[in-house]
Amino acid sequence: MHSNRLYPSWDQISQLKTPLTAGELALVQYLDLYLPKDKDWTQTNKLDDYKHLQTYSGWLIFVQPFLNGARPDIIIFHPKIGLMIYEVKDWNLKNYGNDQGGFKVHTKDGSYGVKHPKNQVEHYKDNIQNQLVPAIGEAVDLNKKNFGLIKTGIYCHNSTTSECRDILGTPLKREQFKYFPFIGRDELKVEKLQDVVPDVYRSVSFSWKQEWNEELLFWLLPPFHSIEQGTVLTLRGNQSKIAEPQPGHHRIRGVAGSGKTQALAYRAGKLASMNKNVLIVTFNITLWHYIRDMIQRTPFNFRWDQFTFAHFHGFCKDRLNQFGVKWPTGPVREKFDSDESFNQALELFFRFTIPNAVKSAINNKIVDYYDAILIDCNTRV
């Protein structure tokens, strides 16, 4: 099977350590067969070479893309229209349903809470537009008509479209499925293509900004960073010592502007060049974007998919979402007598309630491991 717009390629997919599920495979085959493609595009056109996308006319398909370590099932992308995220389930929906305790699976051993696929796919969307490519989120905030710049869909391989909508589609109304597809196996027909991909027959979206494409593709298909790309970041004085990777736990202190972040970025680049997987945590989104730009300047060879970037509470949210745990309810201003008491409660909530919820959620679970965790803390801890 040959395709010139599928990432990874069919040959690479056939060699995955964890094979695609039957549902993932069926949906990828359907999309690759029927989505419009640019006949002049070949995989010798590098996605990280932005000029190739300016004239591209068609859809690209990404299977389990890296997405800062999140790995959604399928993302389809048109550089002049936008993107769509699909969550695929091979469930027998007869065993699933909503009740007063939330969304559950019913087995012979009892009923258990599980993560609703709608929550999962919307979590990916939220991460893209509010953390990875925040310019998209800003466009949505300015004009709610831009809410559909990133679309989402649910595909249930072992169910009909009707069953998928009845069991998973609540509380959407029938007419909303036109924009937020919940589909079953019976929908995978060429005449149903617009039901599967609502924007499939559009040639352009005036709301989609092509300057977003380069940043988006960085996360969908992280490029290789070569030594030649960076040589601008140089260290001085004590920075050289603290920038060298060392085993164990270390805390570096210094006044603002002393070069701690530069040293961290250099250390991160060198760790990645040693084939280490690195988690970088900051206490706000802006700072980790700055660190990523600084790592770009380091003189090392590495793959960008060796990094996962997060701000602390975003990291907590990702872990809770991973294990289907709701974000705890925080303090409500109206219940406090003063701003001071409310702010104190809010600080306790983020400092203790959220981390404790994460600790509870990951207890005795299989979690992601990293070779190195680097934390840039610009506040007192």
Side-chain angles (χ1 to χ4, degrees), residues 282-297:
T282 67
F283 281 78
N284 63 67
I285 298 174
T286 303
L287 182 55
W288 75 246
H289 278 274
Y290 172 71
I291 292 173
R292 191 197 65 170
D293 292 342
M294 196 169 287
I295 293 172
Q296 175 71 39
R297 297 165 52 196

Side-chain angles (χ1 to χ4, degrees), residues 6 8 151 178 228 359:
L6 182 65
K151 288 186 168 58
K178 178 179 179 181
E228 292 77 16
K359 290 178 183 178

Side-chain angles (χ1 to χ4, degrees), residues 188-206:
L188 299 189
K189 302 173 182 176
V190 63
E191 62 270 21
K192 295 285 189 177
L193 185 57
Q194 193 167 18
D195 294 337
V196 179
V197 183
D199 290 335
V200 66
Y201 296 123
R202 300 181 68 178
S203 58
V204 67
S205 167
F206 295 107

Side-chain angles (χ1 to χ4, degrees), residues 153-312:
I154 308 294
Y155 171 57
C156 300
H157 185 62
N158 293 318
S159 308
T160 66
T161 296
S162 178
E163 290 170 337
C164 181
R165 292 177 176 181
D166 289 345
I167 297 173
L168 299 181
T170 307
L172 292 181
K173 298 178 181 179
R174 184 176 182 84
E175 59 270 18
Q176 292 177 293
F177 292 121
K178 178 179 179 181
Y179 307 101
F180 307 103
F182 282 68
I183 61 170
R185 194 170 184 173
D186 57 314
E187 207 81 353
L188 299 189
K189 302 173 182 176
V190 63
E191 62 270 21
K192 295 285 189 177
L193 185 57
Q194 193 167 18
D195 294 337
V196 179
V197 183
D199 290 335
V200 66
Y201 296 123
R202 300 181 68 178
S203 58
V204 67
S205 167
F206 295 107
S207 298
W208 185 260
K209 308 299 182 185
Q210 291 203 44
E211 56 261 33
W212 298 337
N213 291 339
E214 189 171 13
E215 184 74 0
L216 180 63
L217 286 169
F218 175 90
W219 300 108
L220 291 175
L221 197 69
F224 182 82
H225 178 277
S226 66
I227 291 177
E228 292 77 16
Q229 288 176 292
T231 55
V232 180
L233 184 64
T234 55
L235 303 178
R236 62 186 186 277
N238 197 43
Q239 285 181 311
S240 298
K241 179 180 179 181
I242 63 177
E244 286 299 316
Q246 301 175 39
H249 296 79
H250 305 274
R251 175 180 289 187
I252 308 300
R253 292 182 175 179
V255 298
S258 61
K260 300 185 302 297
T261 299
Q262 269 190 315
L264 182 147
Y266 192 96
R267 188 169 185 157
K270 188 161 187 177
L271 282 163
S273 74
M274 298 162 63
N275 204 33
K276 305 295 186 182
N277 291 317
V278 184
L279 170 66
I280 294 177
V281 181
T282 67
F283 281 78
N284 63 67
I285 298 174
T286 303
L287 182 55
W288 75 246
H289 278 274
Y290 172 71
I291 292 173
R292 191 197 65 170
D293 292 342
M294 196 169 287
I295 293 172
Q296 175 71 39
R297 297 165 52 196
T298 61
F300 300 108
N301 290 323
F302 57 78
R303 301 188 321 275
W304 275 107
D305 61 5
Q306 290 171 263
F307 293 102
T308 299
F309 297 89
H311 68 288
F312 180 70

Side-chain angles (χ1 to χ4, degrees), residues 56-123:
Y56 182 82
S57 181
W59 292 84
L60 301 172
I61 304 170
F62 298 87
V63 181
Q64 297 178 0
F66 179 69
L67 205 66
N68 200 27
R71 299 289 184 187
D73 292 331
I74 299 169
I75 289 183
I76 58 174
F77 167 64
H78 193 300
K80 297 178 183 177
I81 297 173
L83 72 154
M84 185 172 184
I85 312 166
Y86 253 103
E87 180 76 3
V88 180
K89 293 301 179 189
D90 290 60
W91 292 346
N92 180 348
L93 288 185
K94 294 178 181 179
N95 298 328
Y96 293 80
N98 290 284
D99 60 28
Q100 293 181 345
F103 188 68
K104 294 184 178 181
V105 57
H106 307 290
T107 72
K108 61 181 181 180
D109 298 319
S111 297
Y112 305 92
V114 293
K115 181 168 49 181
H116 196 294
K118 182 173 181 289
N119 296 339
Q120 179 64 72
V121 75
E122 288 179 347
H123 179 75

